[in-house]
């Protein structure tokens, strides 16, 4: 069944741009929003530029929407002063906007990095406790916690997608396990909007890769069957990166290089100190 209207936040970003061409299959009207301008849109699309830290604007945007696909935010590790508005206030405003409007189902772009400090030798169910590898990932844990609260208290349904590595093709050896294609991601969103009941659920957003650290058994009710696989790029990626140190934390842990990132504000402070020293 086609929905009447869905809202896509973060529409100018890499996922938003890749998913937009599919969304007309899900709804008659697709409302796009981003803080960045978008000049082109199709007849079934409308675009409203907005900073989603503004709750009143977000409430207006969510009006009359059957679903909100929330991609907006900072997608990598960053300073706390940037993460706080984009990822914390942004996701709080998302749930308040949906609560104010009463009925939209939420698809929340979480990340695999909420589990980054689990070793690759451990296969993870969806319901194991978070072990975020960055402040960025901790903001996504907060988003998933809000999803839980707003479901239990206000009945709002969410699918949190712990997106692996959304790329045209896998770019390094880690992505042989974490890669997810646009087609598989769209198929997942389609299932999330089609099932009669979603509750508050989470799923690892990963293609049918031969190597995998994640078990989506708890999300089997979605009926999602990813079709793509990173395997065809294995030889090329091993040729590009022939040696890996098994004692390297970036190889031991699922989060890869994210587990070794410094505190972003220490880094900022270090960079500032370096610049000042150079003067
Ligand atoms: N790309 C991946 O592989 C990947 C992996 C895991 C999770 N994710 C999550 O998926 C989402 C989309 O990722 P992406 O790669 O497309 O990121 P992106 O940076 O390309 O897109 C995010 C968009 O959000 C917008 N935005 C940021 N702050 C905003 C604000 N205050 N108000 C309105 N718009 C704002 C940006 O302008 C940008 O266009 C993110 O939430 C990210 O954390 C992505």
């Amino acid at each position: 069944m086609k929905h009447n209207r869905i809202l896509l936040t973060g529409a100018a970003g890499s996922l938003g741009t890749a998913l937009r061409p599919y969304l007309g299959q899900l709804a008659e009207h697709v409302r796009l929003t981003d803080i960045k301008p978008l000049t082109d849109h199709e007849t079934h699309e409308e675009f409203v530029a907005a900073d989603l830290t503004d709750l009143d604007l977000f409430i207006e945007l969510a009006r009359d929407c059957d679903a909100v696909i929330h991609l907006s935010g900072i997608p990598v590790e960053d300073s706390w002063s940037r993460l706080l508005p984009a990822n914390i206030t942004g996701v709080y405003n998302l749930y308040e906007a949906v609560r104010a409007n009463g009925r939209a189902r939420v698809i929340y772009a979480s990340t695999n990095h909420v589990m980054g400090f689990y070793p690759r030798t451990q296969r993870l169910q969806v319901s194991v406790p978070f072990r975020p590898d960055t402040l960025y990932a901790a903001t996504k844990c907060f988003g998933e916690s809000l999803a839980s609260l707003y479901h239990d208290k206000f009945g709002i349904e969410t699918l949190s997608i712990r997106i692996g590595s959304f790329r045209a093709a896998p770019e390094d050896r880690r992505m042989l396990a974490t890669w997810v294609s646009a087609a598989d991601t769209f198929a997942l969103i389609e299932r999330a909007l089609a099932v009669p009941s979603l509750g508050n659920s989470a799923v690892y957003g990963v293609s049918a890769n031969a190597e995998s650290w994640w078990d989506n058994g708890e999300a089997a009710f979605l009926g999602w069957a990813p079709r793509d696989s990173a395997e065809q790029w294995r030889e090329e990626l091993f040729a590009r990166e022939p040696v890996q140190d098994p004692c390297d934390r970036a190889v031991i842990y699922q989060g890869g290089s994210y587990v070794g990132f410094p505190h972003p504000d220490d880094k900022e402070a270090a960079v500032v100190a370096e610049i000042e020293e150079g003067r």
Side-chain angles (χ1 to χ4, degrees), residues 10 12-16 34-36 50-53 71-75 86 109-112 136 140 163-167:
S14 62
L15 260 88
D34 203 292
I35 201 167
K36 283 194 222 147
D51 181 341
L52 298 181
T53 61
L71 306 180
S72 155
I74 292 180
S110 183
T111 175
N112 70 91
Y136 156 67
K140 296 293 184 175
I163 302 167
S165 304
F166 183 100
R167 302 283 188 287

Side-chain angles (χ1 to χ4, degrees), residues 26-39:
L26 300 183
E28 300 293 342
H29 307 282
V30 179
R31 186 173 289 154
L32 310 169
T33 186
D34 203 292
I35 201 167
K36 283 194 222 147
L38 254 187
T39 44

Side-chain angles (χ1 to χ4, degrees), residues 146-213:
L146 278 187
S148 174
L149 172 66
Y150 276 70
H151 176 256
D152 291 344
K153 195 161 275 196
F154 307 115
I156 293 166
E157 295 194 304
T158 296
L159 179 68
S160 294
I161 306 181
R162 295 177 187 157
I163 302 167
S165 304
F166 183 100
R167 302 283 188 287
E171 292 168 1
D172 58 29
R173 275 171 61 168
R174 178 177 178 270
M175 290 191 199
L176 288 169
T178 62
W179 181 68
V180 64
S181 69
D184 283 339
T185 305
F186 171 68
L188 177 54
I189 292 172
E190 187 178 30
R191 292 307 306 150
L193 297 189
V195 288
S197 172
L198 193 58
N200 173 44
S201 307
V203 65
Y204 295 104
V206 65
S207 280
N209 303 327
E211 194 177 329
S212 173
W213 313 316

Side-chain angles (χ1 to χ4, degrees), residues 13-250:
S14 62
L15 260 88
T17 303
L19 291 175
R20 262 178 66 194
Y22 296 96
L23 298 182
Q25 295 171 44
L26 300 183
E28 300 293 342
H29 307 282
V30 179
R31 186 173 289 154
L32 310 169
T33 186
D34 203 292
I35 201 167
K36 283 194 222 147
L38 254 187
T39 44
D40 64 309
H41 46 88
E42 303 290 326
T43 48
H44 66 279
E45 294 176 323
E46 60 170 314
F47 173 69
V48 184
D51 181 341
L52 298 181
T53 61
D54 182 328
L55 177 58
D56 292 337
L57 267 179
F58 212 151
I59 290 174
E60 268 314 299
L61 285 164
R63 195 176 299 285
D64 302 328
C65 289
D66 302 306
V68 181
I69 304 172
H70 184 64
L71 306 180
S72 155
I74 292 180
V76 286
E77 182 65 319
D78 210 326
S79 65
W80 183 244
S81 60
R82 281 171 46 80
L83 287 168
L84 182 60
N87 290 20
I88 298 285
T89 307
V91 71
Y92 174 74
N93 287 353
L94 162 74
Y95 280 100
E96 278 299 284
V98 170
R99 187 167 76 95
N101 285 296
R103 66 194 173 112
R105 201 171 259 199
V106 175
I107 310 294
Y108 174 55
S110 183
T111 175
N112 70 91
H113 289 285
V114 297
M115 299 300 183
F117 263 114
Y118 280 97
R120 293 181 185 191
T121 47
Q122 199 169 338
R123 194 169 167 79
L124 304 182
Q125 305 277 329
V126 165
S127 57
V128 298
F130 295 132
R131 289 184 72 175
D133 56 25
T134 41
L135 288 178
Y136 156 67
T139 68
K140 296 293 184 175
C141 300
F142 175 72
E144 289 201 32
S145 295
L146 278 187
S148 174
L149 172 66
Y150 276 70
H151 176 256
D152 291 344
K153 195 161 275 196
F154 307 115
I156 293 166
E157 295 194 304
T158 296
L159 179 68
S160 294
I161 306 181
R162 295 177 187 157
I163 302 167
S165 304
F166 183 100
R167 302 283 188 287
E171 292 168 1
D172 58 29
R173 275 171 61 168
R174 178 177 178 270
M175 290 191 199
L176 288 169
T178 62
W179 181 68
V180 64
S181 69
D184 283 339
T185 305
F186 171 68
L188 177 54
I189 292 172
E190 187 178 30
R191 292 307 306 150
L193 297 189
V195 288
S197 172
L198 193 58
N200 173 44
S201 307
V203 65
Y204 295 104
V206 65
S207 280
N209 303 327
E211 194 177 329
S212 173
W213 313 316
W214 305 318
D215 181 342
N216 273 330
E218 290 166 89
F221 75 95
L222 288 167
W224 177 53
R227 296 197 171 149
D228 295 320
S229 167
E231 209 48 26
Q232 60 182 299
W233 287 280
R234 179 171 290 272
E235 264 182 43
E236 185 187 322
L237 291 168
F238 268 67
R240 213 188 291 168
E241 280 178 80
V243 181
Q244 276 197 329
D245 176 359
C247 301
D248 183 347
R249 280 154 54 93

